[in-house]
Amino acid sequence: MKKNFLFLLLSLFLLTGCAELTQVLNTLLESASSSQTKNTLLSETDIIAGLKEALTFGVEQSVADLSGSDGYFSDESVKILLPPETDMILENVAKIPGGQYLIDKLMTGINDAASDAAAQATPILTESINDMTFSDAVAVLAGADDAATKYLKQDKYNELMDLYQPQIQSSLDKVYIEDVSPQNSWDELTGKWNEIAGSIVGRIAGLQPVETDLSRYLTGQALDGLFLKIADSEKNIRKETSARVTPLLERVFSPENISALLDK
């Protein structure tokens, strides 16, 4: 009887000990899980640094692509074409001897001008990237696939326009062969057209003169191409794991991190 009683007491003690041990283990597991979660959460420094790294990569890659030989001309997604109102001019000029040559030189010239200007974009865009705040970074990171690109465009478009346009104009004024530059080719084409459009016959026919500011038009096209390339790079980093080429990019653009930001 005494043995049975002692066995019962020992059993109760062991059961109580097991319950307490289980509680201790659960507490330790919760603590470890909490610690691991904290370790996966990104700090403000991580978020800003990761986004800046992604943007810098996108800008440098885009500028390198566009400022290279035939950077604009050989890429159909950004190739710069003449304003739509010149379509009729081109159709008629192409029919005269030497006309197509003049058009070809003009087209390669204006795209080369854009490539020359593209190399000037990096410092301005880098300044915008460096000035990005934590709230900017969070909004961009949790935004659409091109949120960072839109941020840069809104912040620096006018400044880039002011920088690009003189560079574009300088490139347009370059003489290639036989005293032919893109600018004087344009002036010759539009000048002859405007003479016809301004004549009595032209007015009767309803022809409209072309008064486009070529360097400003081309600058706008060049910048659109630049931001298109940056947007492609940004989307690639967001969507493709293989594009996150550093550990920081892997962490910042992980689905878990984006979800955590959206839940805040």
Side-chain angles (χ1 to χ4, degrees):
M1 191 66 155
K2 182 183 289 187
K3 289 182 179 180
N4 290 338
F5 178 72
L6 290 173
F7 178 77
L8 180 60
L9 285 177
L10 181 60
S11 298
L12 288 173
F13 173 79
L14 289 174
L15 287 173
T16 302
C18 287
E20 291 175 349
L21 180 60
T22 301
Q23 184 176 358
V24 171
L25 287 174
N26 287 336
T27 301
L28 289 174
L29 289 173
E30 290 174 3
S31 177
S33 177
S34 176
S35 176
Q36 185 177 3
T37 300
K38 288 179 181 178
N39 288 334
T40 60
L41 293 178
L42 295 172
S43 67
E44 292 186 9
T45 302
D46 288 335
I47 291 173
I48 294 176
L51 189 58
K52 287 181 177 181
E53 187 173 299
L55 281 173
T56 299
F57 176 81
V59 166
E60 291 177 349
Q61 185 63 52
S62 300
V63 167
D65 290 344
L66 295 177
S67 62
S69 178
D70 290 335
Y72 274 89
F73 191 76
S74 62
D75 188 336
E76 291 298 325
S77 69
V78 296
K79 183 178 180 179
I80 300 171
L81 304 176
L82 291 174
E85 59 266 30
T86 63
D87 288 348
M88 188 176 293
I89 301 177
L90 300 181
E91 289 175 8
N92 286 281
V93 171
K95 297 175 183 177
I96 64 175
Q100 188 58 54
Y101 170 80
L102 189 62
I103 294 172
D104 291 344
K105 291 303 296 181
L106 176 58
M107 294 302 299
T108 56
I110 61 179
N111 280 276
D112 287 345
S115 290
D116 287 345
Q120 307 295 318
T122 300
I124 290 179
L125 292 170
T126 299
E127 180 183 30
S128 180
I129 293 170
N130 290 336
D131 290 343
M132 185 173 285
T133 66
F134 174 68
S135 58
D136 292 332
V138 170
V140 164
L141 198 57
D145 289 344
D146 62 346
T149 305
K150 287 181 177 177
Y151 172 86
L152 292 178
K153 188 173 184 178
Q154 181 178 1
D155 189 41
K156 292 297 183 180
Y157 188 87
N158 290 337
E159 191 172 341
L160 285 170
M161 176 67 78
D162 291 341
L163 175 71
Y164 258 54
Q165 192 168 359
Q167 180 72 20
I168 289 281
Q169 187 61 61
S170 176
S171 296
L172 289 174
D173 291 335
K174 284 182 181 178
V175 174
Y176 288 91
I177 56 174
E178 300 175 1
D179 295 327
V180 174
S181 72
Q183 185 65 59
N184 60 35
S185 297
W186 169 262
D187 292 341
E188 184 176 350
L189 287 173
T190 57
K192 290 179 178 179
W193 173 262
N194 288 345
E195 285 179 12
I196 298 172
S199 67
I200 295 175
V201 174
R203 289 198 297 271
I204 292 174
L207 301 180
Q208 298 297 317
V210 175
E211 299 175 345
T212 302
D213 182 333
L214 183 60
S215 67
R216 189 164 186 83
Y217 173 83
L218 295 179
T219 301
Q221 295 293 301
L223 291 179
D224 287 349
L226 173 64
F227 285 115
L228 176 64
K229 285 296 185 182
I230 295 174
D232 287 345
S233 176
E234 178 187 356
K235 183 177 180 180
N236 196 35
I237 289 175
R238 288 179 183 269
K239 298 294 185 182
E240 302 296 333
T241 305
S242 59
R244 302 167 197 159
V245 293
T246 68
L248 182 58
L249 289 181
E250 290 179 1
R251 291 186 64 203
V252 170
F253 287 92
S254 68
E256 294 80 8
N257 179 55
I258 302 297
S259 297
L261 288 173
L262 292 173
D263 290 340
K264 285 186 176 181

